[in-house]
Amino acid sequence: MKKISVIANWKMNPPTKKEAENLFSEAKKAKNKNCELIICPPFPFLYLGKGLSLGAQDCAFQKSGSLTGEVSPHMLKQLSCNYVILGHSERRRTFGESFDMINKKAKAAISSGITPILCVSEETKDELIAIDEIREQIQAITKKISFSKIIIAYEPLFAIGTGNPCPTYLAAKRRVLIKSIISKINQRAKDTPVLYGGSVDEKNCKEYIEEANFQGLLVGSSSLDPKKFKKIVESI
Ligand code: 13P
């Protein structure tokens, strides 16, 4: 059986190194042999996560150069970072990342041996527009990328950081839609893991795996609460 991925997106948290050390040591206590745990802390805390599977929250698409503030996938790989979250809606909305940029970042990450976790969001409540929006996003961010080298995370905007999780039936419908879009692009895409993210907590986590059939979870705020996070990992 393929393992369920539980990915912690700490975003720009916690504020101190001491708290980050504590979160890492608590994460190590969360045990589930059916689950692959991946922690995505802010860049400066990556080096504290030895012994855990690590991901970054962004990367540049260039290898090096005069690019103030940027971090390349090549540099991340040297910190034992094997994953990177790309195209999170917070980056697209706050920092103006385009789909083309996300696609370039994903290609650069893959070239450095890092698996991109490509976020697909849904910004409208109109069903037909949402379907087109998801299709266009997937086509743009996965252009000329092998589906065997990526993870897709479905994160509807209304569910991110709101405490308003996506109803399971809708999430399930979207998973099927994403699977059908990617399978039409490439037959081999049927094995690409599709994860759910958005207000996941210790009470709703199981539904997304067991009822909606997602292959994992991208967890934001609940990953900063060690008790909740441990319950999520151990209950799925
Ligand atoms: P929350 O779990 O806080 O809603 O955040 C979800 C998210 O953005 C994960 O990438």
Side-chain angles (χ1 to χ4, degrees):
M1 192 181 88
K2 208 160 184 277
K3 287 194 175 186
I4 301 289
S5 307
V6 177
I7 307 180
N9 179 6
W10 289 1
K11 308 193 179 183
M12 200 171 75
N13 298 294
T16 66
K17 178 183 168 220
K18 205 167 169 216
E19 288 165 281
E21 282 168 341
N22 181 50
L23 282 180
F24 274 125
S25 81
E26 290 295 324
K28 280 183 188 157
K29 294 179 195 162
K31 302 251 187 266
N32 182 344
K33 62 176 174 19
N34 298 323
C35 169
E36 182 187 18
L37 185 58
I38 301 162
I39 310 287
C40 303
F43 293 131
F45 297 147
L46 276 166
Y47 80 103
L48 298 171
K50 284 202 177 70
L52 282 159
S53 189
L54 293 172
Q57 299 172 18
D58 186 29
C59 70
F61 53 82
Q62 302 88 342
K63 196 166 179 179
S64 62
S66 305
L67 296 154
T68 306
E70 291 295 279
V71 175
S72 76
H74 186 65
M75 293 166 183
L76 292 171
K77 189 68 186 176
Q78 293 166 69
L79 286 175
S80 305
C81 194
N82 287 322
Y83 297 88
V84 62
I85 299 172
L86 292 174
H88 192 283
S89 57
E90 285 159 10
R91 292 214 57 82
R92 289 202 291 106
R93 289 162 74 91
T94 315
F95 303 101
E97 277 188 12
S98 65
F99 295 145
D100 180 52
M101 221 187 264
I102 297 160
N103 177 253
K104 283 186 178 149
K105 289 180 178 197
K107 285 177 180 151
I110 292 168
S111 300
S112 291
I114 294 183
T115 303
I117 300 152
L118 291 172
C119 298
V120 171
S121 70
E122 174 172 334
E123 316 207 344
T124 173
K125 291 244 164 178
D126 184 302
E127 180 73 8
L128 289 177
I129 297 177
I131 292 173
D132 281 346
E133 204 174 72
I134 291 171
R135 182 176 297 108
E136 276 165 32
Q137 252 181 91
I138 293 179
Q139 284 169 345
I141 62 179
T142 62
K143 210 165 165 183
K144 296 194 176 157
I145 286 181
S146 163
F147 280 93
S148 63
K149 298 209 156 91
I150 62 169
I151 293 173
I152 290 180
Y154 167 65
E155 295 211 308
L157 208 62
F158 62 83
I160 298 180
T162 57
N164 177 28
C166 185
T168 321
Y169 81 90
L170 179 61
K173 224 162 107 174
R174 292 295 185 255
R175 193 196 70 85
V176 172
L177 172 72
I178 292 169
K179 281 275 181 193
S180 116
I181 294 170
I182 62 179
S183 302
K184 278 189 190 130
I185 302 175
N186 187 322
Q187 286 279 307
R188 297 212 328 253
K190 65 178 186 338
D191 295 327
T192 304
V194 180
L195 278 45
Y196 170 78
S199 296
V200 170
D201 62 23
E202 74 287 10
K203 296 185 201 92
N204 62 29
C205 57
K206 239 176 143 167
E207 292 168 21
Y208 293 109
I209 306 297
E210 291 183 0
E211 290 170 38
N213 280 323
F214 283 92
Q215 281 154 287
L217 302 164
L218 183 50
V219 188
S221 48
S222 297
S223 70
L224 298 167
D225 178 326
K227 272 195 197 141
K228 280 191 185 176
F229 192 58
K230 191 165 182 281
K231 272 193 191 155
I232 292 174
V233 174
E234 291 178 355
S235 67
I236 58 168

